[in-house]
Amino acid sequence: MTRPRADLDVSAVFLDPAAFPGDDPLNWTALFGDDRPVVLEIGSGKGLFLANAAQARPDHRFFGIEIAKKYARLAAERVVKAGLSNVRLWPGDAGHLMARRVVPGSLQEVHVYFPDPWWKKRHRKRRVFNEKLVDSIAHALTTGGELHVATDVEEYFGVIRELVAADPRFTEIDPPALGDPEHDHDYLTNFERKYRIEGRPVHRSSYRLQEAVTAVS
């Protein structure tokens, strides 16, 4: 397994939550130094999506949340090696950050790819995708903002679709088309690369936040 490189300076990309005490909302302009639209990924892993998307869309800012500090660090290293300045990594819990620290209406997109399915029934309460997260995403997105989801677990995909369908603020839209990768880094994430090579199905859905719909209580 790849190990973080202690000699690589990632301080411009890798955020230290201890430097942001309390639950004050994050200031995107202060974090990035500009006011370009913000795209947020929950569960960034080793950062393949962030690096690819940030390179393809330099007119956007990308913020990744990864609960495993080691993977967040590896994602930051990937970003630094690619010479990208429009990405920030936050090592921490996405549920807490989304509920308390993201300014309402400040995100253009939220991406959640291959969240841990927590296979055992007694552990499923640990799944990141739940009703509370859907509500947090709805508050965080700007009107017309989009939520994009992918998983290889059909059962979990069904749960996710039911959760979002139950919130009238969202309407389902066609997910972006995935082209045939031309090289090893053209995949959406490391998991997607693994599963597509193995021939396993990947379930995807996308949603758009609608205007003037009463929030779910």
Side-chain angles (χ1 to χ4, degrees):
M1 181 180 290
T2 305
R3 295 182 179 180
R5 285 180 48 187
D7 62 324
L8 188 62
D9 183 8
V10 298
S11 58
V13 173
F14 189 69
L15 302 176
D16 179 6
F20 301 83
D23 284 334
D24 291 341
L26 296 175
N27 185 319
W28 301 127
T29 301
L31 284 177
F32 289 92
D34 57 60
D35 59 357
R36 290 171 291 175
V38 179
V39 176
L40 184 145
E41 183 186 21
I42 294 173
S44 302
K46 298 178 183 178
L48 184 58
F49 166 76
L50 288 176
N52 286 346
Q55 188 168 23
R57 303 165 67 186
D59 55 337
H60 287 66
R61 299 171 290 176
F62 292 84
F63 187 87
I65 310 171
E66 172 54 52
I67 195 168
K69 188 174 182 179
K70 176 181 178 179
Y71 286 145
R73 166 79 193 204
L74 289 172
E77 291 181 6
R78 184 192 292 270
V79 167
V80 169
K81 291 175 184 177
L84 299 169
S85 61
N86 58 333
V87 181
R88 300 292 183 270
L89 269 300
W90 179 279
D93 178 71
H96 177 87
L97 188 143
M98 291 296 298
R100 302 190 181 187
R101 309 208 63 173
V102 177
V103 175
S106 67
L107 301 180
Q108 187 174 74
E109 298 171 16
V110 173
H111 297 252
V112 188
Y113 296 135
F114 303 95
D116 193 330
W118 290 103
W119 292 104
K120 295 180 180 180
K121 286 186 178 181
R122 67 177 184 272
H123 291 159
R124 288 184 182 177
K125 62 183 179 181
R126 302 179 186 177
R127 286 177 169 179
V128 68
F129 222 106
N130 52 40
E131 186 176 1
K132 185 176 180 180
L133 182 70
V134 173
D135 182 62
S136 295
I137 292 172
H139 279 97
L141 285 171
T142 185
T143 298
E146 296 179 356
L147 166 63
H148 301 280
V149 182
T151 176
D152 64 306
V153 182
E154 186 174 7
E155 178 270 335
Y156 198 4
F157 183 62
V159 170
I160 291 170
R161 294 194 69 188
E162 287 181 5
L163 286 168
V164 184
D167 191 317
R169 290 169 289 184
F170 287 100
T171 185
E172 190 165 11
I173 59 177
D174 291 333
L178 291 180
D180 292 328
E182 295 182 2
H183 57 74
D184 200 38
H185 295 290
D186 277 349
Y187 294 92
L188 196 62
T189 69
N190 288 316
F191 281 115
E192 190 231 350
R193 176 172 58 202
K194 174 183 176 181
Y195 298 146
R196 289 180 68 180
I197 290 174
E198 293 176 352
R200 294 163 60 175
V202 173
H203 309 284
R204 299 186 304 129
S205 58
S206 294
Y207 306 88
R208 181 170 292 125
L209 185 73
Q210 300 303 295
E211 188 175 7
V213 179
T214 303
V216 175
S217 60

